[in-house]
Amino acid sequence: INISYYDRVVMKMLKRLLILQFLFLFIIPIALAEITITLPEKDIYNLGEKIVPFISVKEDSDYDGVFSLNILCDNYDLQYYTIPLNIESGARTQVTVPERSLSSHMIGMCNLKSNFKALDGESIDSASSGAFSVTNGINISIIGNLESKPGEYAVIIGEVRKHSNELLSKGEATISFNNEEAKVEVVSGKFEHTIHLAKDAEAGDIPITAVVKDKYGNYGNAITIFKIISVPTRIENRFDNNILTPGDTLKVRVILYDHTDKIMNGS
């Protein structure tokens, strides 16, 4: 049988078309599956905070299976939720997952991973959430009037915030000042401590340290400077010479002493 050049070209094109159709059918996914995991718009969590994912599942076939959820961190892997799940073809099913409190094992980068398996153990679908960070760090700022005179009272006020800038609900603060230490409660992100300065307290700059921690293991510290103001108490005049004649220059040194009988700057 003589086949013309034109016929041969047409046959080659038909063969290629059949191959392309076969490949196209081969690469089409068998199931248009979709699991979505949505987290609150928050990148950093402190210890003790709870993560609440919003999860839904949609499949193109009916399935009876088991849905599970893991939290995966740098050095931690926990499957913390498993439930039987029935899926109807084409219907989106919401999966109610309990909130999860974040612990010290999870410090670092984490994400959530879901897995939907058939009753025979075969994997139907899986998905992962976006990454988020878990930290135990908190931020402390010491505010208020950070100077006083000897014998007076000074109120030290602090503010404590999580990494997300939310106020720390509850904790304990340790205030260290002039070799003394006091513990006060942190309530709604605030703490307050009153310092009584002795009448003979030396003037100068003294560091105040505040260390805050809570029951979940969150921790932070801050250092600021408190100024004790000098109080002048007496003046002393010193003459360089006691005997003068007309035309001599009288030189006098004026010395100012503070409440601790020390010479003040600027005398």
Side-chain angles (χ1 to χ4, degrees), residues 100-234:
R100 176 67 193 180
S101 182
L102 301 172
S103 66
S104 58
H105 302 91
M106 305 172 189
I107 291 177
M109 296 303 298
C110 300
N111 71 339
L112 301 180
K113 183 178 180 181
S114 64
N115 199 351
F116 184 32
K117 292 183 178 181
L119 295 178
D120 61 4
E122 181 182 357
S123 180
I124 299 170
D125 198 5
S126 64
S128 296
S129 72
F132 57 91
S133 176
V134 180
T135 180
N136 66 341
I138 50 180
N139 300 313
I140 305 168
S141 55
I142 301 175
I143 54 180
N145 184 15
L146 296 177
E147 65 176 29
S148 188
K149 295 178 181 179
E152 294 183 345
Y153 289 89
V155 179
I156 306 302
I157 301 172
E159 186 176 80
V160 188
R161 291 183 178 271
K162 302 177 186 177
H163 248 284
S164 61
N165 208 37
E166 299 173 47
L167 291 172
L168 185 73
S169 59
K170 192 174 182 180
E172 182 184 71
T174 302
I175 313 298
S176 300
F177 174 77
N178 205 16
N179 297 321
E180 296 183 359
E181 188 174 279
K183 295 184 183 297
V184 296
E185 292 291 317
V186 177
V187 180
S188 299
K190 304 284 185 181
F191 65 84
E192 186 174 304
H193 177 59
T194 300
I195 295 174
H196 178 247
L197 299 176
K199 291 183 178 181
D200 60 350
E202 289 191 18
D205 295 337
I206 300 178
I208 294 179
T209 303
V211 176
V212 176
K213 58 184 178 181
D214 68 6
K215 64 180 182 180
Y216 301 108
N218 293 302
Y219 174 91
N221 62 75
I223 299 176
T224 191
I225 297 299
F226 186 90
K227 183 179 182 63
I228 299 178
I229 302 171
S230 294
V231 177
T233 55
R234 67 184 180 90

Side-chain angles (χ1 to χ4, degrees), residues 22-38:
F22 175 78
L23 290 174
F24 179 75
L25 291 172
F26 181 75
I27 63 176
I28 289 179
I30 296 174
L32 297 175
E34 182 184 26
I35 298 178
T36 61
I37 305 176
T38 304

